[in-house]
Amino acid sequence: MSPEEDRVGLDSEGLEFPVEAMTAAGAVHRALLERGETCATAESLTGGLIGAHLTAVPGSSRTYRGGVVTYATDTKAGVLGVPEDLLAEHGAVHPEVAAHMARGVRRLLGADHGVAVTGVAGPEPQDGQPVGTVHVAVATRDDRTRVHQFRFTGDRSGIRYRTVEGALLLLDSAVRGSTAGNTRT
């Protein structure tokens, strides 16, 4: 088995999932379960992959409330309440957009934690941001929101999967009460 094959698992439908992301999803589930808490996802560039990883964990219905895929910019405003003026001024790939998405999905689905991702998977830049720019936000029930910016390299698929891994690791950190990442109130 090659090192790359060693890092990838297959689900029941033959779709590839990086082992790191599956491990991170399991860790998030255990941390939420230990605390009696829940999470919800708001996804743009990942198109539901974070939710897919979370629901691949047995028993995830006890900790995962659901997710919203707001791929089009206008749906970020219409569904999640991202201010239209923020989107008009900065576009969808911005840390404050991610923060509003995370708070919006947490409220919308009644979860203790909301995690949101927005970014550029490629192949072309978007909103003046280069390919690989990703913003991940985690909103908690105490009205604190952490935002982290990533600069990933690689192809579209790789950027999307690294975004899943990064989002799950940041969510796990927030659930466990770490102070990693920027804090916005």
Side-chain angles (χ1 to χ4, degrees):
M1 196 179 273
S2 75
E4 185 61 31
E5 289 173 310
D6 208 18
R7 295 186 58 216
V8 175
L10 296 177
D11 73 359
S12 62
E13 297 175 8
L15 298 173
E16 292 183 356
F17 287 92
V19 173
E20 291 87 351
M22 292 307 301
T23 301
V28 166
H29 171 68
R30 286 187 300 279
L32 289 166
L33 199 57
E34 287 170 7
R35 290 157 180 78
E37 296 176 349
T38 60
C39 72
T41 55
E43 302 183 58
S44 185
L45 76 149
T46 51
L49 290 173
I50 299 168
H53 279 77
L54 288 168
T55 58
V57 176
S60 60
S61 62
R62 293 186 289 173
T63 59
Y64 183 61
R65 299 279 302 154
V68 177
V69 176
T70 53
Y71 202 71
T73 299
D74 64 324
T75 62
K76 290 170 181 62
V79 176
L80 297 174
V82 176
E84 291 179 7
D85 58 338
L86 174 66
L87 291 165
E89 184 177 346
H90 297 288
V93 183
H94 190 270
E96 288 300 320
V97 171
H100 280 283
M101 290 172 65
R103 290 190 292 265
V105 78
R106 190 185 75 70
R107 266 191 315 271
L108 181 67
L109 297 180
D112 296 300
H113 303 273
V115 61
V117 296
T118 186
V120 186
E124 300 296 324
Q126 178 185 337
D127 297 332
Q129 299 295 322
V131 171
T133 302
V134 173
H135 301 285
V136 178
V138 178
T140 59
R141 67 178 174 201
D142 61 1
D143 289 326
R144 297 183 67 78
T145 304
R146 297 177 189 169
V147 181
H148 188 83
Q149 179 178 328
F150 292 97
R151 296 277 186 192
F152 295 122
T153 59
D155 65 7
R156 182 176 176 81
S157 178
I159 290 168
R160 293 174 75 218
Y161 277 110
R162 281 188 282 289
T163 300
V164 171
E165 291 171 356
L168 290 171
L169 291 172
L170 287 174
L171 176 58
D172 185 55
S173 175
V175 170
R176 293 179 191 278
S178 171
T179 57
N182 298 327
T183 303
R184 300 174 190 272
T185 53

